[in-house]
Amino acid sequence: MDTAHIEGLIGMLTVLGILVLMVLPSVIGIARDRRIDRQIREAGRGRREPEVLGPTGRRAGAQRYLTTTVTHHS
């Protein structure tokens, strides 16, 4: 190997190193997002409980509320 080959190798390694430094944060962010998505899915599965029926035949947790707005007219 002569000097031209060594300089070419150094240049190529420098470009590859810069490329890795620029791509690495994106790859880390993608991996982090996938981990968070997986945790959210697992938490969603854990919240699902068997449906319990109350005395009215509806789900015990499901209640209907009637809301009204009262305004004063002069």
Side-chain angles (χ1 to χ4, degrees), residues 39-50:
Q39 289 174 347
I40 290 171
R41 278 194 307 271
E42 289 174 0
R45 284 188 210 126
R47 286 190 179 188
R48 293 186 187 137
E49 298 175 358

Side-chain angles (χ1 to χ4, degrees), residues 8-24:
L9 181 63
I10 291 171
M12 187 171 47
L13 291 176
T14 302
V15 169
L16 287 175
I18 292 171
L19 178 66
V20 167
L21 288 176
M22 293 184 73
V23 171
L24 189 63

Side-chain angles (χ1 to χ4, degrees), residues 31-47:
R32 182 175 177 267
D33 286 346
R34 295 187 92 177
R35 178 180 51 88
I36 291 170
D37 289 342
R38 187 182 68 241
Q39 289 174 347
I40 290 171
R41 278 194 307 271
E42 289 174 0
R45 284 188 210 126
R47 286 190 179 188

